[in-house]
Amino acid sequence: MNRSRTIGSVLVATTLLLATVVLVPARADAPGGPPPAPSHSGNPASVYERVAHFYGAYIDVAHDPGSNAAAAELREFYLTRDLRTRLLDFEKRHDTDGILRAQHVPSAWKVTRGDSGMGHTYTTVRLTWGTGTEKTYTYLTVRSDLESRKISDITSEQ
């Protein structure tokens, strides 16, 4: 009899302990705890996200010497044929990269959704130049065709 009370008490205590653990999970954002790990997700149907993917990949490739073939493949996949032709003309006239509108590679980038209409969507790309207190920014407006999901125009914001 005494033994069954002990077993019963242990089972009740264990059940209460497990219930407490289930009801009060550890929080990663609790003070003193580790911050949550950064995460990224995406949707291949989202035209805005395609612009973000393109600029992220293009800037990564531009940072690596000898990556002209990879940059050309990114342009082929993400840009309309008409824009690729216009970019080549722009680059010859200005001696600069038409995607970045610069001769150098930015230290960071940020993409912000814009408006959509008439079969197009617009995205703002902010390019960061320099680091620390020496940062400067340039802004690009990127137009994408909703049907093809390809980038069809890039202009500098003044």
Side-chain angles (χ1 to χ4, degrees):
M1 192 79 127
N2 201 5
R3 186 170 183 199
S4 20
R5 264 194 223 160
T6 304
I7 292 173
S9 296
V10 169
L11 287 174
V12 169
T14 303
T15 303
L16 288 173
L17 180 60
L18 288 174
T20 302
V21 169
V22 170
L23 292 175
V24 186
R27 291 185 49 160
D29 60 348
S39 64
H40 294 276
S41 61
N43 176 352
S46 168
V47 176
Y48 153 77
E49 289 182 30
R50 287 177 64 92
V51 172
H53 294 161
F54 170 70
Y55 269 89
Y58 192 84
I59 290 168
D60 285 348
V61 164
H63 270 285
D64 294 333
S67 58
N68 292 342
E73 288 176 12
L74 287 170
R75 286 178 178 221
E76 179 79 24
F77 184 77
Y78 284 98
L79 309 179
T80 63
R81 176 178 290 139
D82 177 59
L83 177 58
R84 291 192 309 266
T85 301
R86 286 184 286 127
L87 284 173
L88 289 175
D89 182 52
F90 177 91
E91 291 168 343
K92 286 177 186 173
R93 283 182 297 144
H94 297 282
D95 192 32
T96 190
D97 185 304
I99 301 293
L100 303 173
R101 298 294 202 250
Q103 292 180 335
H104 304 288
V105 181
S107 57
W109 55 271
K110 179 179 179 180
V111 176
T112 305
R113 293 178 204 261
D115 293 329
S116 294
M118 304 290 292
H120 302 286
T121 190
Y122 296 86
T123 308
T124 299
V125 176
R126 182 184 79 179
L127 302 176
T128 304
W129 306 94
T131 59
T133 59
E134 302 295 319
K135 289 181 188 175
T136 59
Y137 305 98
T138 57
Y139 295 87
L140 305 173
T141 299
V142 177
R143 183 184 72 196
S144 300
D145 294 341
L146 290 173
E147 185 177 332
S148 70
R149 298 184 336 231
K150 291 192 177 230
I151 296 170
S152 56
D153 198 25
I154 300 169
T155 56
S156 300
E157 293 183 13
Q158 300 299 330

